Amino acid sequence: MNEELKENILGALELVIDPELGVDIVNLGLVYDTEMDDEGNVTITMTLTSMGCPLAGTIVDQVKRALADIPEIKEVEVNIVFNPPWNKEMMSRYAKIALGIR
């Protein structure tokens, strides 16, 4: 996957807002990896802020919808992992400011 496509994917994923925190999943540091095979199948490896997140299904659906308009992408798989565990240090400066975290 070229850098421009990767930037497009991450840009689209910035539209997916964590419903509990009100900040997008990219700036929260929840997206760990993006991969795409030769057929246009994309795998997003990401985590959630907690293992018992009741909105996991909603977030996965939003990820798939956010990437649906990128013509190079045919299918999207979302791989939820909990290793490494998410922590506030993974957040961007923007997310920390938005949430009032220093």
Side-chain angles (χ1 to χ4, degrees):
M1 166 178 5
N2 65 41
E3 279 303 308
E4 182 179 346
L5 179 56
K6 188 170 185 167
E7 286 181 28
N8 286 344
I9 289 171
L10 291 174
L13 292 177
E14 286 181 347
L15 300 175
V16 178
I17 305 299
D18 181 290
E20 293 179 311
L21 298 177
V23 176
D24 69 88
I25 63 172
V26 173
N27 280 294
L28 283 173
L30 299 177
V31 178
Y32 289 168
D33 193 25
T34 60
E35 296 177 13
M36 183 170 174
D37 67 18
D38 294 335
E39 286 82 43
N41 300 310
V42 170
T43 301
I44 304 297
T45 301
M46 63 174 290
T47 194
L48 302 169
T49 55
S50 66
M51 285 183 72
C53 179
L55 299 168
T58 301
I59 293 171
V60 168
D61 288 343
Q62 289 178 359
V63 167
K64 290 180 178 183
R65 269 189 260 123
L67 300 180
D69 291 335
I70 299 176
E72 295 89 346
I73 298 176
K74 304 303 178 230
E75 294 287 329
V76 176
E77 178 182 336
V78 180
N79 183 22
I80 303 288
V81 298
F82 291 101
N83 194 17
W86 179 84
N87 65 68
K88 67 180 182 178
E89 298 307 314
M90 295 174 164
M91 293 189 298
S92 71
R93 184 172 180 269
Y94 163 79
K96 289 177 182 177
I97 290 170
L99 295 172
I101 296 172
R102 295 183 182 251

